[in-house]
């Protein structure tokens, strides 16, 4: 038994900051950002929008797409590193909004690989026959974690949420590899503001996202192809059998480099970071939703999802559409 994706949804905040807007905040320019990252704009939360608000909107849309009633949902797993509350967890807030009264709900944090870990978790519950219907969500308000005075990080990130609905099915495929390397945690950090005293002003630098961009880049371009190859070897498949690779949308140069290292055509690696920037755990489900809505996938297509990020963490999952 596996959990087959039978619906997708996403929520993109309407406030848009393009590269020109960032050039007013820090010493940078549109050409540098586009060339080095492929990013042109990012969408940011505003007004009533929060991490859980976006998650609930994405989940509601995914349920509609799947034709599943909220009461049928047994499990909601949210991947996030930017929930607005510690308690209740974001998944419980989503449950309340969408009326999924029968669901067990919890959050997990594996930074930008979070959606893959959340998908694995839901698949494990379904595979064991514990639950039949699950919603898996990636949702992030990274704008609250970014230092908008730091040009080396603020150009990269954006906010948003994506969700998928899984239904237990005998027909389909799910396989995964995931890894963590805690010894390299210092490459991408953001310490919790909850451990700081409220009078801690101006805000402690460590409570903003800090990153060794070069190290993350090298890590991603070596580990993502490694994970994809291991996954395909495990399933005795070749890269030719894969229709699409949905990679974490951090940097278009990382995506191109992974394609090259796998000996694959760039067309098999759709991207949308130009519009949204890096939305961490939300990036893979947002892209999945866009492609689903465009009817890009055909029934039976093999699709590889792959992510990497803080922890350090990385992994790859194989699904059959
Ligand atoms: N605008 C203009 N110049 C800049 C900017 C900017 N925004 N940022 C840095 N520079 C300058 C640097 O100061 C440096 O100048 P120097 O040569 O005079 O010292 C020069 O540009 C080159 O800087 P590098 O850091 O070497 O640039 P690089 O080509 O490595 O690109 C980048 C930096 C885009 C951050 C790249 O390393 C990267 O994308 N890394 C991966 C980041 C990532 O994916 N992070 C998140 C993944 S996990 C997660 O999602 C949480």
């Amino acid at each position: 038994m596996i959990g087959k994706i039978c619906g997708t949804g996403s929520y993109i905040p309407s406030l848009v900051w393009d590269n020109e807007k960032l050039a007013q905040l820090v010493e940078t320019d549109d050409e540098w950002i586009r060339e080095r990252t492929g990013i042109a704009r990012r969408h940011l939360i505003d007004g009533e929008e929060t991490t859980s608000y976006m998650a609930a909107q994405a989940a509601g849309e995914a349920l509609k797409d799947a034709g599943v009633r909220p009461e049928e949902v047994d499990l909601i797993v949210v991947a996030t590193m930017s929930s607005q509350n510690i308690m209740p967890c974001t998944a419980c807030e989503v449950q309340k909004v969408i009326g999924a009264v029968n669901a067990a709900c919890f959050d997990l944090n594996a930074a930008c690989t979070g959606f893959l870990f959340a998908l694995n978790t839901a698949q494990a519950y379904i595979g064991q026959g514990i639950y039949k219907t699950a919603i898996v969500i990636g949702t992030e308000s990274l704008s609250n974690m970014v230092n908008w005075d730091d040009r080396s990080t603020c150009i990269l990130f954006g906010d948003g949420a994506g969700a998928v609905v899984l239904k237990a099915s005998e027909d389909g495929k799910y396989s995964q590899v995931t890894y963590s390397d805690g010894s390299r945690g210092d490459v991408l950090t953001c310490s919790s503001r909850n451990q700081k005293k409220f009078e801690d002003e101006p805000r402690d630098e460590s409570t903003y996202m800090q990153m060794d961009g070069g190290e993350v880049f090298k890590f991603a371009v070596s580990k993502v192809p490694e994970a994809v190859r291991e996954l395909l070897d495990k399933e005795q498949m070749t890269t030719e059998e894969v229709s699409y690779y949905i990679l974490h949308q951090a940097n278009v140069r990382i995506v191109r480099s992974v394609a090259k290292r796998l000996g694959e055509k760039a067309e098999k690696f759709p991207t949308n970071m130009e519009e949204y920037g890096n939305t961490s755990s939300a990036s893979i489900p947002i892209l999945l939703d866009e492609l689903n809505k465009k009817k890009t996938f055909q029934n039976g297509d093999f699709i590889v999802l792959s992510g990497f990020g803080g922890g350090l963490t990385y992994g790859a999952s194989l699904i059959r559409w």
Side-chain angles (χ1 to χ4, degrees), residues 209-220:
M209 202 121 58
Q210 316 267 330
M211 176 184 75
D212 182 336
E215 279 304 308
V216 176
F217 198 99
K218 280 188 273 175
F219 165 74

Side-chain angles (χ1 to χ4, degrees), residues 230-273:
E230 185 188 337
L231 178 67
L232 295 180
D233 284 350
K234 190 166 104 167
E235 294 305 316
Q236 297 179 320
M237 284 176 64
T238 61
T239 48
E240 289 76 44
E241 291 170 82
V242 176
S243 300
Y244 295 100
Y245 297 85
I246 311 297
L247 264 49
H248 170 44
Q249 300 290 293
N251 185 320
V252 76
R253 290 192 294 139
I254 292 177
V255 176
R256 283 195 198 123
S257 171
V258 169
K260 202 166 156 201
R261 285 169 191 237
L262 287 170
E264 281 282 54
K265 291 179 282 192
E267 300 86 80
K268 282 186 166 184
F269 292 73
T271 59
N272 65 4
M273 76 282 283

Side-chain angles (χ1 to χ4, degrees), residues 3 19 36 45 50 77 98 188 214 224-225 233 239 249 301 305 318:
N19 292 343
R36 303 285 178 124
I45 55 167
T50 59
V77 188
I98 66 174
L188 257 165
V224 169
D233 284 350
T239 48
Q249 300 290 293
D301 273 354
L305 316 176
L318 176 72

